[in-house]
Amino acid sequence: MKQLSHLSSEQLWNWLIQAHQEAKKGELPHYIPLLKQVNPSLLTLCLITKDYYTLNQGDSHITFPLMSIIKPFLLLYLLSKLGEELLFRKVGSVPSNYPFNSLEQLRLDQGFPRNPMINSGALTLASLLPGKDGDTKCQNLQQWLNQQGKSELFLDELMLESVQSLPNPRNQAILDELTRKNHIKNPEITLDTYNKICCLSGTIIDLAKLGLLLVNSQNIEQNYVSIVTKIMTACGLYEASKNLTTKIKFPSKSGVSGAILSIVPEQGAIACYSPPLDAQGNSVASLYMIEKIANYLNT
Ligand code: GLU
């Protein structure tokens, strides 16, 4: 495999110009008002290698919420705190063919969340975070990530207000089902925690640095890293995970804000952000960039 650090900034820039065109095919999400108002032509990318060689391009100063990209890091944190056995009593690790916020899938599985990358799994894991309320639970995760990843994630309060401004009946129904099955205990705190951790925000560089936690972190057990990256490979890109993984080949996770993080095993991470999404909810331009880089590395 070629080296991430050998990619030239000219090459990246050319792909970025094409990605900019591709982004026009996508649409902004409707269900979070602030995400609907964001400038659709924002585009930025950061490559980082395990020895911290960093190359970033585009609107690298802007910040965005991680949304579902927090899910693999929630899993990593809880694996480190609770261990594998306890954690997988609460959530599975198999892909789902249903959308990320499907109640049907949860019902078919008798209330046992299939994996931590879909909302039922992430809500369940959010309930396991240490802390008495949503604020403390979110802060504990935030502090750990910032310490381990040398990142500067912060809670975007305006984004949180926007998330809370419209009811989210799907997440509510999932929460009701989890509570009915006694899988979680405090649905209000759980939802508050989940919304907050989805609104943890940072720059593309922060996201790329977090990616390094899944490459060569000295403080995190390698076994936990393998568990997380395996689940990302199988479930990280919504219903498109199976198709896209054959193309991209790297463990990846996307979020509704338009970011995608891909891990290049043993080398580093690629983070990309562009708000317009395809029908499955993956950022069109981010996918385009990651596919181009993956092709380059894999040939
Ligand atoms: N807050 C979002 C939700 O639960 C996160 C979704 C995502 O990024 O996929 O709907």
Side-chain angles (χ1 to χ4, degrees), residues 31-32 66-69 71 100-101 119 163 168 171 194-195 198 238 253-257:
Y31 73 105
I32 299 176
L66 298 186
M67 291 291 162
S68 276
I69 302 188
K71 292 172 180 170
F100 69 99
N101 52 9
N119 285 10
V163 166
N168 187 328
N171 282 352
Y194 174 78
N195 285 338
C198 284
Y238 305 117
K253 183 73 197 92
S254 56
V256 73
S257 51

Side-chain angles (χ1 to χ4, degrees), residues 45-63:
L45 170 123
C46 180
L47 297 184
I48 192 164
T49 66
K50 59 183 180 184
D51 20 82
Y52 281 90
Y53 163 77
T54 311
L55 187 60
N56 52 281
Q57 279 182 334
D59 305 296
S60 53
H61 58 284
I62 61 128
T63 61

Side-chain angles (χ1 to χ4, degrees), residues 232-246 282:
M232 282 168 82
T233 306
C235 322
L237 298 170
Y238 305 117
E239 298 123 275
S241 299
K242 210 169 157 197
N243 284 347
L244 289 175
T245 307
T246 39
N282 292 307

Side-chain angles (χ1 to χ4, degrees), residues 64-91:
F64 53 86
L66 298 186
M67 291 291 162
S68 276
I69 302 188
I70 198 64
K71 292 172 180 170
F73 296 102
L74 172 63
L75 174 62
L76 187 68
Y77 174 75
L78 286 173
L79 278 169
S80 308
K81 296 287 158 193
L82 306 176
E84 192 179 339
E85 210 192 302
L86 204 99
L87 191 128
F88 286 109
R89 270 191 234 150
K90 299 296 279 185
V91 69

